[in-house]
Amino acid sequence: MMRVEFSNDGIVIDAALVGPLFDLEPAEVHELMRNGEITSLCEAGIDEHEGEFRLSFFFRGRRVRLQVAASGEVLRRSTIDYGDNPLPNAMHRPGG
C-alpha cells in the first residue's frame, strides 16, 4: 500500500499514487510538477477531521484529491474531470 510521508521538510507523495489519477506515468508527474503544470494545495483537517489532511492536485481540467490520515494512510481518493474545459477558479481555493 502506498502511503504519504510527513516530515519536518514537507510532504512526500509517491508519483505512482497520483499519476494514474491523472492518466499519467509517474515520471510525467515529476516533470509536470517541476514545470508548474501540476499544482497542489494542502489543507489540515479541523473538528471531526482533526489529524487528517486533504491534498489537492490540479492539472488541466482535472482535480485529484487525497484525504490522508496523519499516519500517511490514504483514506479517500476523488477526481473531478472537466475534460477540455478549465477548472473553475473556486476549485483551486481551500475548501473548494
Side-chain angles (χ1 to χ4, degrees), residues 31-45:
E31 183 66 25
L32 291 166
M33 288 191 89
R34 274 192 294 275
N35 293 338
E37 293 179 62
I38 293 178
T39 58
S40 61
L41 174 68
C42 176
E43 300 171 85

Side-chain angles (χ1 to χ4, degrees), residues 65-86:
R65 275 197 171 153
L66 303 175
Q67 185 175 343
V68 182
S71 65
E73 176 187 2
V74 176
L75 304 171
R76 188 172 309 135
R77 303 169 206 218
S78 67
T79 303
I80 294 179
D81 189 347
Y82 277 75
D84 292 333
N85 298 313

Side-chain angles (χ1 to χ4, degrees), residues 9-31:
D9 295 327
I11 301 170
V12 177
I13 302 162
D14 190 327
L17 182 62
V18 176
L21 300 171
F22 282 120
D23 296 325
L24 298 169
E25 294 296 322
E28 293 176 286
V29 172
H30 291 286
E31 183 66 25

